[in-house]
Amino acid sequence: PGRSPDGRLAAVGAGIARAGGDAGSPEPRPALNWRRMRLTAGRSAGLLVPWLFAGSAAEAQRWQVDLGATSVRYDSTASVASAIVAPTLEWSRPTLYALLSGGLAAFEGAEWTAQGRGDVSYLRRPFRGGPVRFEFAASGGGSVHATGYRTAATRGEVRLHLAARRFGVWGGGAGATGWTSGSRGIAVGLGPTAGVWGDAGPWNAAILWNPLRIEGSWFPEVNGRLAATLGRLDLMAYGGWRGAAQGSGVAEASWGGGTAAWWLTRQVALTVAAGTYPSDLLQSLPGGRYLSVSIRLSSRRPSVWRVPTTGRAVYAADRGLNELRFSVPGASRVAIVGDWTAWQPVPMARDREGRWVIRVTLAPGVYRFNLVVDGERWIVPEDVAAVDDGFGGKTGMLVVP
């Protein structure tokens, strides 16, 4: 959870090291594509259920930077305000997902805090065409404060998934560690993990159960997330509960919150996030509540597109290269724009039959694109599946098997 840009605005701003992740910290990435969804819980690596669903990453790499301000109030202190810079880099491939994220917060009096986090997940389908997936996931991160106080955390998981088109379940085991510069050793947590997810139209949801055994005591934990993309608006709500072992000195906790991202353009969004989060038992960090506002700059809006049930995506192969051909009657110039061009026009050539042609090399996945005719009109070619682009227009779908 600590790696999500909105969540980091709160966590970094308060000087809270979320590198280990808390079940209740927000996970408000606007990428609501369930193929790449990460529902994190119980200090999880945040890599649950990537690539299990019908959609796919529109391009292999995406960058994002959040610039904003946050106010956080610990359970036992007054509010702390700060300015935040939170960059993110993610890579998405059919079997491998990786994410690098960080945050730098500046306070009054030349105080500052910084944190970084890395996540990686490897997914395999042992039986071609079957519903079974095996996943191996790991994460690591840490933080440092101007005073020299430092924290670090790691997590590893092994999961077995059973995934249908709109519904799925998973189960497995997890291990996590936490460390602070003020502690004498490393805290360790072990436990099972299980969950269920569902998808209905623009809405998708998941529930995760992840109890951890820490220093001889069990701490049961349940987390839920509901997310949707509605035109230009991305919404996410989360909630959770953690029980307390008798005699552990830790109280039961519950949390909740949400994020809204309004995309002004394809690369710029205004985000607002608010909620609460619990203490981190492995890193001995307090819980609190937060409110953050930021401007998000991104190489592209994270994709939520799925393979449509009607229409036909155009894809062809020629001499080992991928070649796209479209008929555009009456056009004197045609260019293509899409996820893989960062939505910048790339000219196409006309072949002897009058069709417009371009050669591309794309990884397997689902891509959004349009044709730009004579430098003015954006169109979806005939016989190509089209969906709402969230800005009052249509965009085509290209499926690379």
Side-chain angles (χ1 to χ4, degrees):
R3 66 151 207 268
S4 67
D6 302 310
R8 290 198 315 278
L9 289 180
V12 178
I16 300 173
R18 311 299 292 176
D22 280 330
S25 72
E27 179 66 15
R29 288 181 67 257
L32 305 182
N33 184 333
W34 283 86
R35 179 174 171 140
R36 299 173 329 194
M37 173 193 166
R38 273 78 58 198
L39 172 69
T40 51
R43 296 144 301 278
S44 110
L47 291 168
L48 294 172
V49 208
W51 311 305
L52 295 183
F53 312 100
S56 67
E59 61 184 32
Q61 180 174 312
R62 188 179 72 89
W63 62 262
Q64 177 176 295
V65 178
D66 280 21
L67 307 172
T70 186
S71 175
V72 178
R73 182 172 183 176
Y74 293 101
D75 291 337
S76 56
T77 65
S79 298
V80 179
S82 64
I84 303 295
V85 178
T88 299
L89 274 175
E90 69 173 353
W91 295 264
S92 183
R93 295 292 186 182
T95 60
L96 185 68
Y97 177 87
L99 182 97
L100 290 176
S101 60
L104 176 64
F107 309 91
E108 294 182 4
E111 291 289 319
W112 57 269
T113 185
Q115 69 171 18
R117 181 185 174 101
D119 296 272
V120 64
S121 175
Y122 180 69
L123 190 76
R124 293 293 297 175
R125 178 184 292 182
F127 311 109
R128 187 171 182 178
V132 178
R133 319 287 201 277
F134 289 106
E135 185 186 7
F136 304 90
S139 71
S143 69
V144 60
H145 191 267
T147 61
Y149 185 78
R150 303 179 307 280
T151 71
T154 64
R155 184 178 177 93
E157 293 195 34
V158 178
R159 311 183 189 100
L160 173 66
H161 300 272
L162 297 176
R165 183 174 179 82
R166 299 294 186 185
F167 177 83
V169 297
W170 74 87
T177 66
W179 171 87
T180 71
S181 58
S183 62
R184 295 183 178 179
I186 297 176
V188 178
L190 298 171
T193 179
V196 58
W197 61 269
D199 184 1
W203 297 91
N204 40 66
I207 298 176
L208 171 66
W209 173 71
N210 182 205
L212 282 184
R213 186 174 178 83
I214 304 173
E215 295 183 353
S217 299
W218 282 100
F219 296 90
E221 197 167 288
V222 179
N223 288 267
R225 167 180 163 160
L226 177 67
T229 291
L230 306 172
R232 296 192 181 194
L233 182 64
D234 290 335
L235 297 174
M236 187 283 302
Y238 69 91
W241 169 87
R242 183 179 65 209
Q246 206 169 27
S248 64
V250 177
E252 290 187 1
S254 59
W255 52 86
T259 298
W262 179 263
W263 289 86
L264 306 174
T265 70
R266 295 179 187 273
Q267 288 84 32
V268 181
L270 173 65
T271 67
V272 178
T276 62
Y277 56 88
S279 60
D280 186 324
L281 301 182
L282 290 176
Q283 295 186 87
S284 301
L285 298 172
R289 60 189 62 196
Y290 67 95
L291 171 65
S292 65
V293 179
S294 68
I295 291 293
R296 175 165 296 158
L297 308 177
S298 179
S299 59
R300 63 179 173 83
R301 182 180 180 180
S303 178
V304 70
W305 312 110
R306 299 178 178 85
V307 178
T309 56
T310 60
R312 183 173 76 252
V314 175
Y315 176 84
D318 182 27
R319 297 180 183 178
L321 294 176
N322 302 334
E323 192 168 73
L324 305 180
R325 297 174 180 267
F326 305 104
S327 295
V328 186
S332 59
R333 290 183 294 118
V334 174
I336 192 168
V337 295
D339 291 316
W340 67 92
T341 73
W343 295 95
Q344 298 301 310
V346 177
M348 302 182 71
R350 180 179 282 175
D351 65 11
R352 295 179 180 179
E353 299 176 359
R355 293 177 300 178
W356 295 90
V357 182
I358 190 170
R359 288 184 175 182
V360 295
T361 301
L362 300 173
V366 179
Y367 299 80
R368 297 171 295 169
F369 78 100
N370 286 91
L371 300 185
V372 182
V373 180
D374 297 331
E376 298 179 354
R377 293 189 296 125
W378 282 42
I379 69 168
V380 176
E382 295 181 2
D383 297 326
V384 174
V387 295
D388 188 350
D389 66 0
F391 296 89
K394 295 292 184 180
T395 187
M397 301 292 294
L398 172 64
V399 180
V400 179

